[in-house]
């Protein structure tokens, strides 16, 4: 008789829907929950949400593919311990051995007898039920053992008795130890106990005592203790009221337990959880870091500062917060005193070394080293940091900055647990900064893509429109039969169409070059080339275009200049530079100079056109970049990018000097033979 186990789940894996339906129909009478998956990967995703009593993998005719799926299910730890049953068309002995070698419990024919399959599966369902019950029993046993362990460790508990109405307190050595007191300390009165409790927790503790006395019931309170030697501890106190024959309270007895680590751990976890939410909630990193600093100052530190590393190597203080409202103005003044990398500031040292710096007790010497000016030192004395954590924020890509946690006064010191918490926060903050950078980069890439698509569509249509119009005009002329007029117009029309086809071809070639550069397929065909002759030849091709816009080309050279270069690629470089000069320097002369240099060869092309804004000089050699609006000047913004790539492939350099209204000078230097 098959026992129904409603809580068991079976995972059925098959890419064929009809097979899954058949399996479900066969196994439904057993009563388990049936979960289906169409691949091994899909099956593994199911294991993210629940465990299964058995996996049934139907490999039908694709045995080798089925073995791959089975192997994948055996290799992943979540599914490794779950029994695996293979179903195949022909369970030959060799296949059965292969299945067992992979860890499968059996291999059955997919054309199975439903009763046989159900009998086989029911065994694993019952085993799963027994294992589940065994696990529950183990958990229950572990809980009982934990309670027993707690009782056996009673030596670590503090014991106390309070007499009423004298308020005399009798505290054991363990109780004093929980309070951070030496054994000889006289903890003999209720008033002495209250003096040790943190001022913010005294009222809650006294109210708990009063409630217990009023009801003659149990007493329970968790509070912070400030020992005379400094530091801060959390203590859990539990007790019961003792009553006399008349039912009136005569005293209280109880125990104490040091719960400092537990409370600090909960506080740290709560802080990290909320800080993570703040870091992911805002897309503005500076705003998120300021919120995190304020959260830190209200929970795990007295005040918190965040300094970010800038491109020039300096620091910018983007966040500052203090727990005390009276010192909020002072902590905001700290924004003016950012760390400096040229002095031995503690923040700069932490970032330079790349590891967390823990100053359990910050000395006057540390304060002097951290101060960047006398006014800053005066501010530090006012803030009075006694314990400081300096945590670098860094990713694999770059260092980002430093978070400073400080605690004032002598009550509490940072420890290794605080250091772990701070390092985890720094990792999350650095990831948030990196994600924000990647988001900005992605947004900029999307903007450039959209701009390029807009410009490219316009540029590609520009030569097509006149070409289409000319072809339509020629077609009408042919139909009209005016041969003499057609012969007269044909040379000019063909020349216009040729120029438009060339322009279209140049645009396509630019796009192909960008593809080659991006994939690393820009190769050079080196040969002996006279750079002077090449420049003259390319310039002669541009003379008709230059004359059409009112430019004159002036070439100066010292004679032949031979080198080993790629002729076609150098022609492309000279063409791009001349085309730019003619486009942006229309109506003015263009000066071309070829000569030798210390590095080999130098080519200078100078126009007297509109010039380039200073902010654009650093980016005009980038992909899809331009110094002027595409509305006034056409092009894809690829010419100078391709030019730079070709020059650098030859081992050379190219630079530009320009100012608005004063033209632009491009200087290209090439070694006579690329490295």
């Amino acid at each position: 008789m098959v026992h129904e186990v409603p809580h068991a789940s079976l995972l059925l894996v098959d890419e064929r829907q009809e097979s899954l339906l058949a399996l479900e129909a066969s196994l439904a009478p057993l009563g388990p929950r049936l979960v289906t998956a169409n691949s091994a990967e899909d099956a593994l995703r199911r294991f993210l949400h629940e465990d299964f009593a058995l996996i049934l993998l139907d490999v039908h005719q694709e045995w080798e593919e089925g073995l791959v799926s089975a192997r994948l299910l055996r290799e992943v730890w979540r599914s490794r311990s779950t029994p695996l049953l293979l179903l195949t068309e022909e369970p030959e002995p060799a296949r059965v051995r292969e299945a067992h070698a992979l860890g499968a419990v059996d291999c059955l024919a997919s054309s199975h007898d439903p009763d046989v399959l159900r009998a086989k599966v029911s065994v694993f369902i019952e085993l799963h039920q027994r294992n589940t019950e065994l696990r529950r029993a183990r958990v229950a046993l572990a809980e009982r053992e934990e309670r027993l362990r707690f009782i056996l460790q009673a030596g670590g508990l503090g014991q106390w008795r309070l007499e009423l109405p004298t308020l005399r307190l009798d505290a054991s050595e363990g109780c004093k130890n929980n309070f951070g007191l030496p054994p000889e300390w006289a903890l003999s009165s209720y008033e002495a106990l209250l003096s040790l409790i943190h001022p913010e927790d005294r009222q809650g503790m006294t109210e708990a005592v009063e409630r217990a006395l009023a009801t003659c019931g149990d007493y329970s309170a968790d509070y912070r203790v400030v020992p005379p030697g400094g530091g801060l501890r959390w203590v859990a106190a539990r007790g019961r009221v003792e009553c006399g024959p008349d039912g009136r309270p005569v005293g209280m007895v109880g125990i104490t337990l040091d719960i400092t680590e537990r409370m600090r751990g909960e506080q740290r976890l709560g802080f990290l959880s909320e800080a993570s939410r703040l870091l992911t909630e805002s897309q503005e990193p500076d705003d998120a870091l300021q919120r995190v600093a304020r959260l830190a100052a209200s929970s795990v530190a007295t005040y918190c500062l965040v300094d970010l590393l800038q491109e020039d190597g300096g620091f910018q203080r983007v966040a500052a917060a203090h727990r005390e409202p009276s010192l909020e103005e002072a902590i905001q003044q700290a924004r003016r005193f950012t760390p400096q990398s040229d002095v031995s500031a503690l923040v700069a040292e932490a970032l330079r070394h790349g590891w967390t710096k823990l100053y359990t007790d910050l000395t006057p010497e540390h304060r002097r080293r951290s101060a960047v000016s006398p006014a800053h030192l005066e501010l530090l004395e006012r803030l009075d940091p006694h314990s400081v954590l300096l945590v670098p924020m860094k990713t694999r890509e770059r260092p980002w900055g430093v978070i400073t946690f400080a605690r004032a006064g002598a009550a509490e010191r940072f420890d290794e647990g605080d250091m772990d918490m701070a390092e985890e926060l720094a990792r999350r903050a650095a990831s948030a900064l990196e994600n924000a950078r990647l988001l900005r980069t992605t947004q900029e890439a999307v903007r450039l893509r959209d701009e390029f698509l807009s410009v490219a569509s316009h540029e590609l249509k520009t030569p097509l429109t006149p070409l289409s119009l000319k072809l339509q005009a020629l077609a009408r002329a042919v139909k009209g039969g005016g041969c003499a007029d057609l012969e007269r117009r044909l040379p000019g029309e063909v020349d216009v169409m040729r120029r438009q086809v060339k322009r279209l071809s140049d645009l396509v070639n630019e796009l192909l070059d960008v593809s080659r550069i991006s994939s690393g397929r820009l190769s050079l065909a080196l040969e002996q080339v006279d750079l002077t002759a090449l420049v003259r030849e390319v310039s002669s091709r541009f003379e008709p275009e230059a004359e059409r816009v009112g430019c004159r080309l002036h070439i100066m050279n010292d004679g032949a200049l031979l080198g080993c270069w790629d002729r076609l690629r150098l022609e492309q470089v000279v063409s791009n530079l001349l085309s730019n000069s003619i486009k942006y320097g229309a109506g003015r002369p263009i000066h071309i100079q070829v000569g030798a240099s210390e590095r080999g060869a130098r080519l200078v092309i100078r126009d007297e056109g509109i010039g380039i804004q200073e902010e654009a000089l650093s980016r005009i050699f980038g992909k899809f970049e331009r110094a002027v609006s595409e509305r006034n000047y056409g092009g894809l913004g690829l010419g100078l990018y391709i030019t730079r790539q070709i020059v650098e492939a030859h081992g050379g350099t190219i630079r530009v000097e320009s100012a608005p209204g004063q033209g632009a000078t491009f200087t290209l230097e090439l070694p006579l033979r690329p490295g």
Side-chain angles (χ1 to χ4, degrees), residues 302-303 322 327 330-331 360-364 367 376-388 406-414:
T302 305
Y303 68 84
H322 199 286
L327 290 174
I331 202 66
T360 306
D361 291 288
L362 197 71
T363 65
R367 294 186 185 184
H376 187 204
L377 181 59
E378 182 180 349
L379 179 62
L380 285 176
E381 297 295 341
R382 183 181 176 190
L383 295 174
D384 193 29
H386 277 246
S387 187
V388 172
R407 286 176 177 167
E412 204 170 356
R413 296 288 186 270
F414 288 116

Side-chain angles (χ1 to χ4, degrees), residues 535 539 542-543 545-556 574-593 603-610 663-666:
V535 170
S539 299
F542 278 87
E543 284 181 351
E545 182 180 349
E547 291 177 359
R548 190 164 54 252
V549 298
C551 292
R552 293 190 60 188
L553 305 181
H554 299 281
I555 302 177
M556 295 174 287
V574 178
S575 297
N576 285 342
L577 295 177
L578 284 178
S579 176
N580 264 12
S581 296
I582 292 172
K583 181 191 299 185
Y584 300 117
R588 297 177 180 273
I590 296 172
H591 308 275
I592 307 168
Q593 183 176 2
L603 169 63
V604 181
I605 299 180
R606 178 172 62 87
D607 64 67
E608 300 177 10
I610 63 174
T665 301
F666 288 86

Side-chain angles (χ1 to χ4, degrees), residues 151-466:
I151 295 173
L152 294 177
Q153 291 176 349
L157 296 174
Q159 303 169 6
W160 56 268
R161 187 177 189 280
L162 179 66
E163 294 182 358
L164 299 175
T166 63
L167 298 183
R168 181 180 179 277
L169 182 65
D170 182 17
S172 69
E173 184 175 324
C175 184
K176 295 177 183 179
N177 184 60
N178 289 336
F179 279 70
L181 303 175
E184 65 273 11
W185 188 273
L187 185 59
S188 58
S189 69
Y190 184 65
E191 291 298 325
L193 171 66
L194 287 179
S195 67
L196 296 173
I197 297 176
H198 194 284
E200 296 178 3
D201 297 343
R202 286 176 189 167
Q203 182 176 352
M205 181 267 192
T206 56
E207 289 177 352
V209 171
E210 291 170 358
R211 283 195 301 270
L213 293 174
T215 60
C216 287
D218 293 339
Y219 159 72
S220 175
D222 296 342
Y223 46 77
R224 289 169 290 175
V225 174
V226 183
L232 188 71
R233 295 194 178 202
W234 276 92
V235 173
R238 302 292 182 266
R240 175 168 295 178
V241 175
E242 293 180 324
C243 296
D246 58 358
R248 294 183 180 182
V250 296
M252 297 178 65
V253 294
I255 60 172
T256 60
L257 179 66
D258 186 348
I259 57 171
T260 303
E261 289 305 315
R262 191 194 81 190
M263 297 302 292
R264 286 181 178 175
E266 291 177 0
Q267 184 185 43
R268 292 163 184 157
L269 288 175
F271 167 71
L272 284 175
S273 176
E274 180 63 13
S276 298
R277 185 187 67 81
L278 294 175
L279 288 170
T280 56
E281 186 178 68
S282 175
Q283 294 185 357
E284 295 297 329
D286 291 359
D287 175 66
L289 290 172
Q290 176 59 39
R291 295 187 182 188
V292 169
R294 190 157 300 284
L295 174 67
S298 66
S299 56
V300 297
T302 305
Y303 68 84
C304 179
L305 307 171
V306 182
D307 299 294
L308 294 186
L309 185 65
Q310 303 300 296
E311 295 294 336
D312 60 1
F315 289 91
Q316 179 184 1
R317 182 152 290 164
V318 299
H322 199 286
R323 177 178 298 181
E324 299 296 335
S326 60
L327 290 174
E328 184 62 27
E329 180 181 353
I331 202 66
Q332 295 308 319
Q333 291 178 12
R335 288 178 178 268
R336 298 188 289 112
F337 302 109
T338 56
Q340 300 174 7
S341 57
D342 57 344
V343 298
S344 184
L346 302 184
V347 169
E349 283 184 359
L351 188 63
R352 183 167 58 251
H353 294 151
W355 59 70
T356 301
K357 304 284 286 185
L358 169 60
Y359 298 92
T360 306
D361 291 288
L362 197 71
T363 65
E365 175 60 24
H366 288 144
R367 294 186 185 184
R368 284 192 293 272
R369 288 178 56 199
S370 183
V372 298
S373 68
H376 187 204
L377 181 59
E378 182 180 349
L379 179 62
L380 285 176
E381 297 295 341
R382 183 181 176 190
L383 295 174
D384 193 29
H386 277 246
S387 187
V388 172
L389 266 174
L390 301 171
V391 194
M393 294 180 291
K394 58 185 184 298
T395 58
R396 288 182 297 178
E397 289 74 19
R398 55 169 289 182
W400 285 97
V402 175
I403 304 177
T404 301
F405 299 90
R407 286 176 177 167
E412 204 170 356
R413 296 288 186 270
F414 288 116
D415 56 22
E416 292 185 358
D418 296 311
M419 189 164 66
D420 293 340
M421 171 208 67
E423 289 175 344
E424 179 61 29
L425 174 67
R427 282 191 288 270
R428 299 182 188 188
S431 296
L433 290 168
E434 180 67 19
N435 290 339
R437 183 189 69 82
L438 293 174
L439 177 61
R440 291 193 298 270
T441 302
T442 302
Q443 290 172 337
E444 179 63 15
V446 171
R447 184 192 66 79
L448 289 175
R449 180 205 64 186
D450 293 343
E451 181 180 333
F452 164 70
L453 291 175
S454 174
V455 173
S457 61
H458 171 74
E459 290 296 321
L460 292 171
K461 287 179 181 178
T462 298
L464 288 174
T465 300

